[in-house]
Amino acid sequence: MAAGLKCDPIVILRIDGDDLHEFIKSPSFEPKMVSIFSELELDLEEGSVRDYIMKTLEKLTVEQGIPPASDSWVMSNIIETALQTCGGVEQQPISQETFLVEFRKVAECVAQKLKDQPVIVAHSENTLDGSGIKRFLSNKLELDKILETTLKNVPGNRHEKTPKEYLRVALDAVAPSAGLPPLGTVDQMDKVIGDVFKVLAADDEKVVREDEFKEMLAEILGSIMLQLEGNPISVSTDSVVHEPLASASTLLQPSNSS
């Protein structure tokens, strides 16, 4: 846990509506909303204004002063109640102009709800730049030990299945040691891995010896490292803290996304 906190330090934020008010009044508000609206037009062909507003709130983060909309408490007590307060948005026909006007109203309501009920969020940031993989590959003893353990723990009989199945399972198993997130948790990272597998033909339906398997896995890690060194990926996570924090009102300052 200590190593994880060192790599991904956690900051406790108090989301109380101030940052959201600033975002609504800022010059970046309208361009951001127009960009999101354009994205949503491709996904919500017949969506209502309410649908667009809900999806937009899911796309915004603590940087704009919005706590995680995926949290059930935030959805029920902040977002849903704000929509009820504004009222009538679901009956509006959708257009960019209508969306901008109605979203601003809802955002103001959300900011007021947050002022009445501040939300405590644990926020962490990390940059995947390949340094974790580099350290992992440079320690041959650790590398051999973990690869051997990984092979022993791969389910099934590896001699009868394809490298695709085993290499992806094995890569996920060594991910923590290489400073990588689990497969399926970061879209950009999954794309990098998919591209590497394609270039190295690691998805071929071919059975390989154990030593070849280890070499392929090490080669995959090396290729991922090079990709991340050239194009680092920034990852941030936000989680609502539901347990009461002692003296939170005095110890925690409003978040400063800038």
Side-chain angles (χ1 to χ4, degrees):
M1 181 178 291
L5 291 177
K6 184 177 180 181
C7 294
D8 305 298
I10 296 175
V11 178
I12 302 299
L13 305 175
R14 186 173 187 266
I15 311 297
D16 60 5
D18 285 350
D19 286 347
L20 181 54
H21 269 304
E22 290 183 13
F23 172 61
I24 295 169
K25 296 175 182 178
S26 72
S28 63
F29 174 77
E30 188 164 319
K32 179 72 172 179
M33 293 303 100
V34 170
S35 175
I36 292 177
F37 181 83
S38 299
E39 292 177 18
L40 293 178
E41 278 189 306
L42 301 175
D43 300 326
L44 300 174
E45 295 181 0
E46 298 181 0
S48 66
V49 176
R50 180 188 175 92
D51 294 332
Y52 274 73
I53 290 174
M54 291 291 287
K55 289 293 185 181
T56 301
L57 289 170
E58 291 174 7
K59 286 179 175 290
L60 298 181
T61 68
V62 294
E63 184 178 353
Q64 291 84 33
I66 296 287
S70 57
D71 183 86
S72 59
W73 188 92
V74 171
M75 179 58 69
S76 299
N77 294 275
I78 303 296
I79 294 177
E80 289 288 357
T81 54
L83 285 166
Q84 292 171 8
T85 300
C86 293
V89 294
E90 56 267 40
Q91 283 81 37
Q92 300 269 0
I94 187 63
S95 70
Q96 180 176 294
E97 183 179 358
T98 300
F99 168 72
L100 289 172
V101 171
E102 296 301 327
F103 183 82
R104 188 184 297 272
K105 292 179 184 177
V106 172
E108 291 284 4
C109 289
V110 170
Q112 184 58 51
K113 293 296 179 184
L114 289 170
K115 182 178 180 180
D116 298 336
Q117 295 180 289
V119 176
I120 307 302
V121 175
H123 174 79
S124 68
E125 294 186 6
N126 187 26
T127 299
L128 303 174
D129 58 5
S131 58
I133 301 176
K134 189 172 185 178
R135 286 192 298 269
F136 179 56
L137 293 177
S138 65
N139 189 332
K140 191 173 187 309
L141 286 176
E142 181 187 8
L143 176 63
D144 290 341
K145 180 180 179 181
I146 291 177
L147 289 181
E148 185 62 33
T149 302
T150 299
L151 280 172
K152 289 180 180 178
N153 292 330
V154 169
N157 182 343
R158 61 180 174 272
H159 298 295
E160 296 179 358
K161 294 191 177 180
T162 67
K164 173 183 177 180
E165 293 171 297
Y166 289 112
L167 284 170
R168 289 184 184 272
V169 171
L171 179 61
D172 209 25
V174 302
S177 301
L180 295 174
L183 291 171
T185 59
V186 179
D187 290 342
Q188 289 174 284
M189 192 67 246
D190 289 345
K191 185 180 186 307
V192 169
I193 292 172
D195 290 344
V196 168
F197 267 69
K198 184 177 180 180
V199 170
L200 298 180
D203 285 339
D204 288 350
E205 294 187 6
K206 177 184 176 183
V207 176
V208 294
R209 299 191 313 270
E210 186 173 298
D211 59 335
E212 291 178 316
F213 186 92
K214 291 180 182 178
E215 290 175 3
M216 290 180 68
L217 185 56
E219 186 177 4
I220 288 169
L221 286 167
S223 296
I224 294 172
M225 179 188 71
L226 293 175
Q227 291 292 322
L228 293 177
E229 286 179 341
N231 296 286
I233 297 173
S234 296
V235 179
S236 65
T237 58
D238 298 299
S239 179
V240 175
V241 179
H242 292 286
E243 294 297 324
L245 298 179
S247 304
S249 60
T250 58
L251 292 177
L252 298 173
Q253 299 298 316
S255 64
N256 186 348
S257 298
S258 60

